[in-house]
């Protein structure tokens, strides 16, 4: 039997040969690559050292950045500002300025002793230097005027950024300070750079061959450890310092020089590394011999595999081809089935996302609108009623603000569950967004059923919601529209239900309202009023009238209350109680308040030339949102009108004090430091609290006219008025009684030793010209000085931003 001499096709054996040749080429390439990699290892090591040094530079930069923030915080500290404000008012050391200076010094010492790093003080010394280079405040006990020996750049233009100066191992931070646009001096803080360098830059993990130094303008900064000559030669060999790139360089001796700039400072960190000689394992002769032997064995193995393959290639090829085709078909079938499953799941997911709310699982706006349209079609066929109820959770924002949005989401889920449990299966509950829900009640025989359902919803929501360890009572406001009485299509019914919901929230929340045609007209009227209010100030439609404030004992005028009026060409005279809340909602009350303050201060500046006259301006809660802007406005108007600060009273409603925020407290303290008087307006009508009178610097308390109207016949009003007067006397506060309309009321307050009053019994509101003529009839005062608080009372008040006529 002859042996099989058939040869397999050449195309079937070439892959084995090519693979062997590729493997041999890969081994050769590996040898070359290993040699090149060893040459680049030094650069990699240098990059690692550079990154380590940049990290330390960042830590040092952050430390100095925080110290700069400390100086800027000192510049705006209330204790510091109070001293300069008192000094600007001309206070002497005997009358308040010494106490302000002591507080100033205590503030600097607290900042100097505050922990800055590893329990150590951030500053070793802080001083405030006046323009004549004398220390106003110095935290050091030795009193050494170090700022006279160093050029700190004190004669340069003022800057809001601290300057950094280095001297004898210390770093000085210098910050210009101004008050009232006038230079007052410089804050100078001294930092022990050597301690900071040892804490933030020095690290025992750095190899002994590595040392880090601080450079200032290319020179090594003085330190406890003097740099060796080798380091000095490195610095000198780089053109007198580190390269401008601030990255790295190498000296002739093989050392590696790495530098990193410290941001916002004149410092540069310098490190010199002595890398060891590195040899690669793959570059040795034994590795090359091993790779060569491996290549020979691979060539022999490939030849043997090629011989084996040639013997069984035909049979194996057929088997492999069959298996390959089968695997391809199986893989294609599997992928097709998986693709169909994914597409089906994706379509289901899109359907759910397009029609249901992801948080509560309720239908969303789109699906609810579609269901409402279908229900309305059925309503026309059966001739019954469909109720559309919009529900909004009251005070939901407080839950988010106090416990976070996660708690708010849990509350929404609980509210959705209660609604679903209350309603029929044929009813629809949907979430339109935020805390707003939609309830659709189809097939109603009469409209009264909708009212019963709303009452059930309010009763269910009166039960507290449990959110984690907390319980909340979150009431609901509801607006209801009925089809076909209030509309025949979904869009109209939803719009009308929204109008009814707005009316429910406007009338105190936790209630429900049915839509009426009058609501729609009222909404249109409000929208029209909003459109006209936006341009009312530019069109000069606002005006001021003034109602005098008198001393009750003799009836003399000591001030006036300015009342804001709006006369629209289209709407006529609009009551302040109607348009002022709209101004706050529209965000234009700040601009209107600035206009009122300017006009009122200008008029008061003229009137006080004839009689002692004091002015008070009511502050809107919106103006508290920008304390800095309001403070600057008051300063500018006082300066322009010439009105002394003590003749200006700012009336604050009790609702503003509920926030009790640090910003509100700081604003009131700054106004008090300026000398401006502060009054509580309409005391007793809001959220009165004795803590407000104790904590805040108030001078005057105004009794609201709601307590005056029934005097002196109503015993309850008499008791309240006497209690308020007694409280004011105990707190050494002046009192103004508003709304005095007859002689009996005036006599009552005189008998109770009330200082001031106002109302129609004395004078009605009048124009500025009329009040000018009235003041002109008073004999001109003999001197320009005002009387004391005891002789003038509060001096009157002018409330012009959010007040109507008394």
């Amino acid at each position: 039997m002859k042996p099989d001499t058939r040869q397999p096709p050449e195309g079937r054996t070439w892959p084995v040969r090519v693979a062997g040749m590729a493997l041999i080429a890969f081994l050769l390439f590996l040898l070359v690559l290993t040699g090149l990699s060893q040459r680049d290892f030094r650069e990699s090591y240098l990059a690692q050292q550079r990154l380590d040094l940049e990290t330390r530079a960042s830590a040092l930069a952050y430390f100095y950045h925080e110290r700069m923030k400390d100086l800027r915080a000192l510049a705006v500290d209330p204790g510091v500002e109070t001293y300069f404000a008192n000094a600007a008012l001309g206070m002497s050391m005997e009358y308040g300025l010494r106490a302000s200076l002591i507080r100033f010094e205590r503030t600097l010492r607290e900042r100097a002793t505050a922990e800055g790093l590893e329990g150590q003080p951030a500053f070793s010394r802080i001083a405030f230097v006046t323009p004549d280079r004398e220390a106003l405040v110095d935290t050091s006990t030795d009193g050494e005027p170090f700022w006279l020996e160093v050029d700190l750049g004190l004669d340069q233009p003022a800057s809001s950024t601290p300057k950094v100066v280095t001297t004898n191992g210390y770093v000085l931070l210098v910050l210009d300070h101004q008050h009232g646009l006038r230079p007052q001096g410089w804050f100078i803080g001294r930092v022990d750079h050597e301690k900071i360098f040892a804490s933030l830059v020095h690290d025992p993990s750095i190899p002994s061959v590595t040392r880090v130094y601080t450079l200032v303008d290319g020179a090594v900064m003085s330190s406890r450890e003097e740099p060796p000559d080798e380091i000095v030669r490195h610095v000198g060999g780089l053109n007198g310092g580190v390269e401008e790139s601030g990255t790295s360089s190498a000296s002739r001796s093989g050392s590696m020089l790495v530098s990193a700039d410290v941001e916002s400072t004149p410092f540069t960190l310098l490190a010199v590394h002595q890398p060891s000689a590195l040899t690669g394992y793959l570059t040795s002769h034994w590795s090359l011999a091993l790779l060569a032997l491996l290549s020979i064995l691979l060539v022999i193995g490939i030849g043997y595999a090629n011989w084996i393959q040639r013997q069984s290639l035909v049979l194996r090829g057929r088997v492999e081809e069959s298996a390959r085709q089968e695997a391809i078909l199986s893989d294609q079938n599997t992928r097709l089935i998986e693709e169909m499953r994914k597409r089906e799941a994706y379509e289901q997911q899109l359907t759910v996302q397009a029609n249901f709310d992801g948080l509560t699982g309720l239908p969303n706006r789109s699906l609810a609108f579609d269901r409402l349209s279908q229900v309305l079609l059925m309503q026309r066929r059966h001739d019954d009623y469909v109720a559309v109820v919009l529900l909004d959770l009251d005070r939901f924002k407080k839950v988010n603000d106090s416990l976070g949005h996660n708690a708010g989401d849990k509350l929404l889920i609980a509210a959705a569950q209660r609604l679903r449990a209350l309603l029929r299966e044929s009813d629809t509950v949907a979430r339109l967004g935020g805390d707003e829900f939609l309830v659709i009640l189809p097939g109603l025989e009469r409209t009264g059923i909708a009212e019963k359902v709303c009452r059930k919803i309010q009763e269910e929501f009166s039960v507290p919601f449990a959110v984690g360890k907390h319980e909340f009572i979150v009431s609901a406001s509801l607006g209801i529209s009925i089809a076909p009485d209030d509309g025949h299509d979904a869009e109209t019914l939803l719009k009308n239900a929204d109008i009814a919901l707005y009316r429910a929230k406007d009338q105190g929340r936790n209630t429900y309202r049915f839509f009426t045609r009058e609501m729609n007209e009222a909404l249109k009227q409000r929208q029209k009023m909003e459109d006209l209010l936006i341009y009312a100030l530019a069109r000069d439609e606002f005006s001021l009238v003034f109602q005098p404030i008198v001393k009750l004992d003799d009836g003399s005028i000591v001030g006036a209350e300015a009342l804001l009026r709006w006369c629209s060409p289209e709407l006529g005279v609009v009551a302040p109680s109607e348009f002022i809340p709209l101004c706050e909602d529209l965000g234009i009350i700040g601009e209107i308040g600035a206009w009122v303050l300017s006009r009122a201060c200008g008029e008061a500046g003229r009137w006080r030339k004839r009689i002692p006259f004091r002015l008070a301006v009511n502050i809107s809660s919106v103006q508290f949102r920008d304390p800095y802007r309001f403070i600057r406005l008051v300063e500018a108007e006082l300066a322009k009108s010439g009105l002394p600060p003590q003749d200006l009273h700012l009336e604050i409603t009790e609702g503003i004090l509920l926030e009790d925020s640090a910003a509100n407290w700081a604003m009131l303290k700054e106004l008090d430091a300026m000398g401006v008087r502060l009054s509580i307006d309409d005391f007793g009508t809001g959220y009165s609290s004795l803590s407000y009178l104790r904590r805040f610097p108030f001078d005057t308390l105004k009794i609201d006219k709601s307590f005056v109207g029934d005097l002196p016949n109503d015993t309850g009003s008499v008791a309240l008025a006497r209690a308020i007067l007694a409280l004011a006397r105990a707190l050494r506060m002046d009192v103004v009684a508003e709304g005095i309309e007859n002689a009996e009321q005036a006599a009552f307050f005189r008998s109770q030793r009330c200082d001031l009053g106002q109302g129609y019994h004395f004078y009605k509101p009048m124009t500025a010209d009329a009040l000018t003529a009235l003041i002109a009839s008073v004999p001109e005062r003999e001197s320009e000085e005002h009387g004391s608080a005891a002789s003038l009372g509060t001096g009157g008040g002018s409330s012009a931003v959010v007040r109507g006529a008394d």
Side-chain angles (χ1 to χ4, degrees):
M1 183 177 179
K2 296 182 180 180
D4 188 3
T5 58
R6 291 176 299 174
Q7 298 293 329
E10 187 65 22
R12 298 294 184 90
T13 59
W14 70 266
V16 178
R17 299 175 183 176
V18 172
M21 296 174 62
L23 186 55
I24 295 172
F26 173 75
L27 292 175
L28 295 176
F29 173 74
L30 186 60
L31 286 172
V32 177
L33 183 63
T34 301
L36 294 176
S37 299
Q38 292 296 330
R39 190 176 60 183
D40 294 338
F41 185 84
R42 182 184 182 87
E43 283 71 15
S44 300
Y45 179 79
L46 182 62
Q48 178 185 358
Q49 300 300 330
R50 183 187 310 141
L51 178 61
D52 179 79
L53 190 65
E54 289 175 351
T55 302
R56 287 164 169 73
S58 298
L60 192 61
Y62 176 80
F63 173 84
Y64 279 105
H65 175 73
E66 290 300 308
R67 302 293 75 76
M68 294 177 182
K69 286 176 60 179
D70 289 345
L71 285 188
R72 286 193 287 265
L74 277 176
V76 298
D77 187 271
V80 176
E81 287 297 301
T82 300
Y83 169 80
F84 290 111
N86 292 341
L89 291 176
M91 283 190 179
S92 63
M93 285 294 180
E94 290 75 14
Y95 296 97
L97 192 58
R98 181 179 303 276
S100 300
L101 182 59
I102 293 174
R103 183 179 178 184
F104 187 0
E105 182 177 1
R106 183 171 63 250
T107 302
L108 261 65
R109 292 189 180 276
E110 291 176 354
R111 186 66 63 176
T113 57
E115 292 187 3
L117 186 66
E118 297 182 354
Q120 297 298 323
F123 294 94
S124 61
R125 182 176 179 183
I126 300 179
F128 183 87
V129 180
T130 61
D132 56 2
R133 298 182 181 244
E134 293 291 333
L136 178 63
V137 177
D138 190 356
T139 62
S140 177
T141 57
D142 57 10
E144 177 187 354
F146 59 86
W147 51 86
L148 299 178
E149 303 174 1
V150 183
D151 183 14
L152 301 177
L154 302 183
D155 298 327
Q156 298 178 2
S159 172
S160 61
T161 302
K163 296 182 282 292
V164 182
V165 181
T166 60
T167 172
N168 296 328
Y170 291 96
V171 176
L172 307 181
L173 302 182
V174 184
L175 175 64
D176 304 277
H177 182 68
Q178 295 185 355
H179 181 79
L181 302 181
R182 294 183 178 179
Q184 302 295 331
W186 300 269
F187 285 98
I188 302 177
R190 189 172 72 180
V191 179
D192 191 340
H193 180 78
E194 294 181 0
K195 293 183 179 179
I196 303 307
F197 182 87
S199 299
L200 295 180
V201 179
H202 177 70
D203 190 346
S205 63
I206 301 178
S208 59
V209 296
T210 302
R211 291 293 183 269
V212 184
Y213 298 90
T214 303
L215 297 184
V216 181
D217 297 329
V220 179
M221 184 176 180
S222 63
S223 63
R224 297 186 180 95
E225 180 182 0
E226 293 296 329
D229 296 338
E230 182 180 2
I231 303 302
V232 177
R233 287 197 302 271
H234 275 299
V235 177
L238 294 175
N239 298 324
V242 182
E243 293 178 337
E244 294 183 357
S245 62
T247 56
S248 64
S249 177
S251 68
R252 298 176 183 177
S253 62
S255 304
M256 290 187 293
L257 182 64
V258 182
S259 64
D261 295 332
V262 181
E263 187 179 358
S264 302
T265 68
F267 307 142
T268 299
L269 297 185
L270 175 68
V272 176
H273 306 274
Q274 297 288 343
S276 61
L278 300 176
T279 58
Y281 172 78
L282 294 180
T283 57
S284 64
H285 295 292
W286 286 104
S287 63
L288 295 178
L290 182 59
L291 287 176
L293 179 59
L294 180 59
S295 299
I296 294 173
L297 295 176
L298 284 175
V299 171
I300 296 173
I302 291 172
Y304 181 77
N306 183 57
W307 179 80
I308 294 296
Q309 184 184 28
R310 291 174 64 89
Q311 299 301 317
S312 60
L313 187 58
V314 175
L315 180 59
R316 288 176 54 197
R318 293 176 181 177
V319 174
E320 291 175 359
E321 181 65 21
S322 177
R324 188 177 66 83
Q325 294 295 335
E326 183 180 357
I328 292 175
L329 291 175
S330 177
D331 181 64
Q332 290 178 349
N333 290 336
T334 302
R335 289 195 295 176
L336 180 59
I337 295 173
E338 183 67 19
E339 185 66 27
M340 293 175 62
R341 187 189 64 78
K342 289 182 178 179
R343 179 169 298 183
E344 181 179 358
Y346 182 66
E347 291 176 354
Q348 293 177 354
Q349 182 181 2
L350 288 179
T351 302
V352 172
Q353 291 178 351
N355 295 283
F356 292 90
D357 177 52
L359 178 64
T360 62
L362 297 176
N364 59 12
R365 181 182 294 271
S366 176
L367 182 57
F369 193 88
D370 182 68
R371 289 188 180 180
L372 180 57
S373 300
Q374 297 296 326
V375 167
L376 292 176
L377 291 176
M378 297 297 295
Q379 179 269 327
R380 298 189 192 103
R381 186 175 303 172
H382 296 89
D383 194 23
D384 51 12
Y385 295 97
V386 175
V388 177
V389 182
L390 280 180
L391 182 147
D392 189 85
L393 300 181
D394 301 329
R395 297 181 295 278
F396 175 73
K397 185 176 182 295
K398 291 185 177 180
V399 179
N400 277 339
D401 294 341
S402 59
L403 297 182
H405 290 278
N406 186 34
D409 291 343
K410 293 180 179 178
L411 178 59
L412 290 174
I413 295 173
Q417 292 173 348
R418 291 191 183 185
L419 288 174
R420 278 188 291 201
L422 280 174
L423 303 177
R424 304 170 297 178
E425 293 184 1
S426 59
D427 300 334
T428 296
V429 182
R431 182 188 177 209
L432 301 185
D435 59 337
E436 189 174 25
F437 295 87
L438 169 66
V439 177
I440 303 174
L441 305 174
L444 302 181
E445 297 180 358
R446 60 185 185 279
T447 59
I449 298 177
E451 185 174 3
K452 292 182 179 180
V453 173
C454 292
R455 289 177 179 173
K456 287 174 59 179
I457 292 175
Q458 287 192 316
E459 291 176 1
E460 185 67 20
F461 275 67
S462 65
V463 179
F465 286 87
V467 180
K469 298 180 180 179
H470 303 270
E471 288 189 349
F472 290 92
I473 297 179
V474 181
S475 58
S477 299
L478 302 96
I480 313 161
S481 62
I482 304 294
D485 297 343
D486 300 329
H488 298 278
D489 59 277
E491 185 175 355
T492 301
L493 289 170
L494 286 173
K495 182 191 71 173
N496 293 339
D498 190 55
I499 294 175
L501 174 62
Y502 177 82
R503 176 58 61 89
K505 293 192 293 186
D506 192 47
Q507 293 183 353
R509 304 178 184 272
N510 192 22
T511 185
Y512 60 88
R513 289 291 181 269
F514 282 86
F515 171 78
T516 62
R517 302 298 176 185
E518 291 76 12
M519 291 182 185
N520 195 18
E521 294 300 325
L523 181 62
K524 292 180 180 179
Q525 183 71 11
R526 175 189 172 94
Q527 292 175 346
K528 183 177 181 180
M529 188 179 297
E530 289 179 353
D531 295 338
L532 295 175
L533 270 175
I534 294 177
Y535 304 101
L537 185 60
R539 295 171 181 171
D540 198 21
E541 298 177 3
F542 290 115
S543 62
L544 291 179
V545 294
F546 298 86
Q547 186 177 28
I549 300 176
V550 303
K551 294 179 64 176
L552 293 178
D553 55 356
D554 58 8
S556 61
I557 298 175
V558 294
E561 179 175 359
L563 307 172
L564 182 63
R565 295 289 185 264
W566 178 33
C567 183
S568 171
E570 298 187 28
L571 303 178
V573 177
V574 183
S577 60
E578 296 182 15
F579 72 84
I580 288 179
L582 289 182
C583 293
E584 293 181 334
D585 293 341
L586 293 172
I588 60 175
I589 193 67
E591 184 179 1
I592 296 175
W595 177 84
V596 170
L597 181 64
S598 177
R599 290 292 182 90
C601 287
E603 297 292 348
R606 294 190 299 107
W607 292 330
R608 70 177 300 276
K609 296 178 182 179
R610 292 283 305 176
I611 63 174
F613 197 93
R614 298 185 180 182
L615 183 69
V617 177
N618 196 296
I619 305 175
S620 170
S621 60
V622 178
Q623 293 173 280
F624 265 70
R625 299 173 186 171
D626 192 353
Y628 178 81
R629 181 179 180 182
F630 182 75
I631 293 295
R632 302 289 83 81
L633 173 66
V634 172
E635 290 179 344
E637 294 302 333
L638 288 177
K640 182 172 63 175
S641 63
L643 189 68
Q646 63 270 20
D647 286 351
L648 176 62
H649 283 231
L650 297 179
E651 297 184 359
I652 301 169
T653 58
E654 297 172 357
I656 296 176
L657 303 179
L658 283 177
E659 299 180 8
D660 197 15
S661 64
N664 291 355
W665 170 254
M667 179 176 174
L668 294 177
K669 291 293 288 184
E670 187 168 355
L671 290 171
D672 183 64
M674 291 169 55
V676 176
R677 301 289 182 90
L678 300 175
S679 304
I680 299 182
D681 192 21
D682 299 337
F683 180 78
T685 61
Y687 302 90
S688 301
S689 173
L690 297 181
S691 64
Y692 300 149
L693 304 180
R694 179 178 57 84
R695 295 180 61 244
F696 293 98
F698 292 112
D699 305 288
T700 306
L701 186 149
K702 301 194 73 174
I703 302 178
D704 185 67
K705 60 183 179 181
S706 61
F707 298 117
V708 180
D710 296 331
L711 292 174
N713 300 321
D714 183 68
T715 57
S717 298
V718 170
L720 285 174
R722 288 176 176 173
I724 294 175
L725 288 168
L727 177 64
R729 293 192 195 100
L731 295 175
R732 301 181 182 274
M733 297 176 64
D734 297 329
V735 181
V736 179
E738 298 180 306
I740 299 177
E741 308 297 336
N742 52 57
E744 290 78 8
Q745 294 171 353
F748 170 79
F749 281 106
R750 277 195 295 268
S751 67
Q752 299 299 319
R753 295 181 297 163
C754 180
D755 300 320
L756 303 175
Q758 66 180 108
Y760 280 19
H761 175 67
F762 303 107
Y763 298 99
K764 293 184 178 180
M766 61 186 69
T767 64
D769 293 337
L771 183 57
T772 301
L774 180 63
I775 293 175
S777 64
V778 178
E780 187 171 2
R781 61 187 179 184
E782 297 181 358
S783 66
E784 291 295 325
E785 297 182 357
H786 286 283
S788 64
S791 62
L792 294 176
T794 59
S798 171
S799 172
V801 177
V802 294
R803 298 196 58 80
D806 283 339

